[in-house]
């Protein structure tokens, strides 16, 4: 009798902890990915106008930050998370990200601009998707896909509301104060929940067999690792190129600040449905096929930016692209967990996120360069992104069925 009571109490405690993990990762992703990643491009046209910087220069800040920080700190961050848990690294990441946006609000020289983008990249590595993915994977077993989907709703929610917040603040106080305010909001939203993430929050809770740690050497000699890394680079590069230039593209079409903000919000609102749908599918069928589906959705949305205009064209694009975007970032750690196990997820994703960061940095710069080389048109750049997304789907198809799964 006593053992049944203790078991019941433990189950309630675990469920409560899981709820707190979901809430914490949701808010962290809302702030550090939703607000920061999708909020910054809203201000690019203000920077180009006030400082006279080109679109290639504006997007080079993200590239420099990711290319410097990713290779140096990506694997180290993953190793620290696997060994010590994510809490302290997440706290550091929240403070760095908030500081980055506050700094970028007054960075009127390229030196300060690049410095604070390095802070931005450090904050993303330490407090963004990587530690959140590890937390979810450690605490959830059978319903990991659904849990990851719910947590990743934070990115879509943050990304959907931040253009509206930014547009409202910019209209009343100017873009400098608007950007700084978003930096403060990031800290206020994410820091308290992460701060109280103590004790058992760093432990692995699994229901079933005990998982053995996969040595990193075994990961790096597995062909599936490289197929996963290359395919994710293709997909992240494609969506990153669109995300970084969407506001600029809309302004070229004479969309007002408010109209552009609503289109960007629609993309992120649609991504909410994409995260839930793809998370649900990932628990039902092989995640390889879900990954291919996501990449095909991304590839099928971009042509809508190339065809002659018709009523509702941009909004149809926003919905389709948003659904693909919603599943894109979420499916990668689920695949990595299937292939190499949860205990090594921090180090595995630390390396993959470095590769993704390179793609996410270089493709927006490539798009900017092609824009100026083709009489200020995005046509050739968008065609490149379509081919890249399709290539990602093809590469995924060569991933072999994992010999082990945690689900």
């Amino acid at each position: 009798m006593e053992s049944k009571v203790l078991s019941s109490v433990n189950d309630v405690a675990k469920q409560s902890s899981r709820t707190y993990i979901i809430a914490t990762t949701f808010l962290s992703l809302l702030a550090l990915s939703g607000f920061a990643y999708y909020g910054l491009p809203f201000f690019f046209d203000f920077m180009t106008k006030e400082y006279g910087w080109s679109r290639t220069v504006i997007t080079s800040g993200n590239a420099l930050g990711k290319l410097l920080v990713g290779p140096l700190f990506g694997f180290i961050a993953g190793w620290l998370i696997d060994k010590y848990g994510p809490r302290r690294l997440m706290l550091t990441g929240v403070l760095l990200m908030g500081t980055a946006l506050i700094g970028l609000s007054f960075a009127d020289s390229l030196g300060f601009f690049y410095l604070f983008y390095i802070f931005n990249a450090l904050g993303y590595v330490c407090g963004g998707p990587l530690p959140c993915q590890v937390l979810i994977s450690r605490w959830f077993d059978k319903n990991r896909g659904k849990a990851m989907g719910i947590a990743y709703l934070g990115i879509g929610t943050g990304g959907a509301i931040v253009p509206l917040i930014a547009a409202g603040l910019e209209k009343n106080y100017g873009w400098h104060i608007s950007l700084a305010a978003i930096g403060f909001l990031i800290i206020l939203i994410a820091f308290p929940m992460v701060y109280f993430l103590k004790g058992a929050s760093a432990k692995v809770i699994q229901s079933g067999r005990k998982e053995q740690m996969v040595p990193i050497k075994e990961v790096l000699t597995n062909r599936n690792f490289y197929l996963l890394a290359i395919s994710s680079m293709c997909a992240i590069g494609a969506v990153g190129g669109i995300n970084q230039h969407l506001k600029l593209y809309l302004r070229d079409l004479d969309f007002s600040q408010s109209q552009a903000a609503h289109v960007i919000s629609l993309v992120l609102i649609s991504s909410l449905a994409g995260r839930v749908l793809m998370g649900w599918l990932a628990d039902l069928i092989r995640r390889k096929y879900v990954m291919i589906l996501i990449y095909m959705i991304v590839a099928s949305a971009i042509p809508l930016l190339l065809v002659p205009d018709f009523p509702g064209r941009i909004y149809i694009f926003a919905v389709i692209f948003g659904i693909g975007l919603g599943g894109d970032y979420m499916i990668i750690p689920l695949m990595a967990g299937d292939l190499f196990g949860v205990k090594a997820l921090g180090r595995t994703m630390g390396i993959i996120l470095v590769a993704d960061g390179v793609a996410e940095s270089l493709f927006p710069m490539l798009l900017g360069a092609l824009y100026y080389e083709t009489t200020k048109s995005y046509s050739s750049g968008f065609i490149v992104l379509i081919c890249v997304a399709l290539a990602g789907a093809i590469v995924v198809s060569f991933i072999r069925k994992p010999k082990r799964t945690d689900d």
Side-chain angles (χ1 to χ4, degrees):
M1 181 67 179
E2 183 179 352
S3 62
K4 290 183 178 180
V5 172
L6 288 174
S7 177
S8 178
V9 170
N10 287 334
D11 288 342
V12 172
K14 286 180 182 180
Q15 185 58 44
S16 177
S17 296
R18 287 190 176 105
T19 302
Y20 191 85
I21 293 297
I22 289 288
T24 301
T25 52
F26 177 92
L27 291 175
S28 295
L29 291 171
L30 181 148
L32 276 78
S33 292
F35 273 26
Y37 181 74
Y38 294 102
L40 273 171
F42 181 84
F43 298 93
F44 284 175
D45 57 323
F46 299 115
M47 294 178 183
T48 57
K49 183 177 180 181
E50 183 169 331
Y51 302 143
W53 297 339
S54 71
R55 300 184 183 198
T56 306
V57 169
I58 289 292
T59 54
S60 70
N62 182 55
L64 179 69
K66 293 286 177 64
L67 292 175
L68 280 179
V69 170
L72 290 174
F73 296 99
F75 178 77
I76 295 174
W79 179 81
L80 289 172
I81 291 169
D82 283 341
K83 188 170 181 63
Y84 299 108
R87 178 178 173 270
R88 282 175 288 184
L89 214 62
M90 290 178 73
L91 289 173
T92 303
V94 171
L95 294 176
L96 284 169
M97 186 65 80
T99 302
L101 267 67
I102 295 168
L104 286 168
S105 70
F106 63 78
D108 57 357
S109 70
L110 283 176
F112 279 116
F113 179 74
Y114 289 135
L115 172 65
F116 288 115
Y117 250 110
I118 290 173
F119 281 25
N120 173 279
L122 281 168
Y124 185 81
V125 168
C126 294
L130 177 58
C132 293
Q133 292 162 3
V134 173
L135 272 175
I136 294 294
S137 297
R138 287 182 172 187
W139 278 83
F140 291 86
D141 188 14
K142 293 182 179 179
N143 295 315
R144 189 180 303 151
K146 297 183 185 70
M148 196 79 76
I150 294 171
Y152 266 65
L153 290 177
I155 298 179
T157 303
I161 63 178
V162 72
L164 305 179
I165 294 173
L169 289 171
E170 186 277 328
K171 184 177 180 180
N172 291 290
Y173 304 104
W175 76 266
H176 295 281
I177 293 178
S178 175
L179 183 53
I182 292 172
F184 281 112
L185 279 175
I186 287 172
I187 297 173
L188 290 174
I189 290 170
F191 193 88
M193 292 292 286
V194 177
Y195 181 79
F196 291 105
L197 191 67
K198 298 180 179 180
S201 63
K203 297 179 181 178
V204 180
I205 294 184
Q206 298 288 343
S207 60
R209 62 174 174 79
K210 291 185 177 181
E211 180 185 297
Q212 298 297 317
M213 171 72 77
V214 178
I216 194 64
K217 181 180 180 180
E218 184 177 327
V219 173
L220 295 177
T221 55
N222 190 318
R223 68 189 293 271
N224 283 339
F225 172 80
Y226 296 97
L227 292 173
L228 179 62
I230 293 169
S231 63
S232 67
M233 286 180 72
C234 290
I236 298 300
V239 300
I242 295 295
N243 285 329
Q244 295 287 302
H245 284 271
L246 183 56
K247 171 80 180 298
L248 297 167
Y249 171 78
L250 294 174
R251 294 291 285 159
D252 285 348
L253 297 180
D254 294 325
F255 277 58
S256 68
Q257 294 289 343
S258 177
Q259 289 173 323
H262 280 87
V263 171
I264 297 169
S265 291
L266 180 58
V267 170
L268 275 300
I269 289 171
S270 301
S271 78
L272 299 178
R275 296 181 205 282
V276 174
L277 175 61
M278 298 306 165
W280 175 73
L281 284 176
D283 284 336
L284 288 181
I285 62 177
R286 281 187 62 188
R287 286 162 184 170
K288 167 182 173 177
Y289 300 127
V290 178
M291 203 171 193
I292 293 173
L293 173 63
I294 291 167
Y295 292 4
M296 294 301 296
I297 291 173
V298 171
S300 67
I302 301 174
L304 286 167
L305 300 177
L306 295 169
V307 300
D309 197 19
F310 60 86
R313 175 176 68 99
I314 296 298
Y315 298 98
I316 295 172
F317 157 80
V319 172
I320 298 174
F321 180 75
I323 291 172
L325 173 68
D328 195 7
Y329 290 87
M330 180 196 69
I331 195 65
I332 299 168
L334 291 175
M335 280 288 291
D338 283 350
L339 293 170
F340 308 110
V342 172
K343 285 190 175 182
L345 186 61
R347 283 169 291 175
T348 303
M349 285 305 301
I351 300 171
I352 290 177
L353 285 177
V354 170
D356 290 347
V358 171
E360 192 176 57
S361 304
L362 294 182
F363 277 97
M365 288 185 65
L366 174 63
L367 217 62
L370 291 173
Y371 174 84
Y372 288 107
E373 288 183 5
T374 54
T375 61
K376 296 187 176 181
S377 169
Y378 278 115
S379 296
S380 59
F382 288 158
I383 291 172
V384 169
L385 295 186
I386 293 169
C387 295
V388 168
L390 290 173
I394 293 171
V395 173
V396 171
S397 68
F398 289 101
I399 294 178
R400 293 173 181 169
K401 184 177 181 179
K403 296 179 182 179
R404 48 176 297 177
T405 65
D406 301 320
D407 297 320

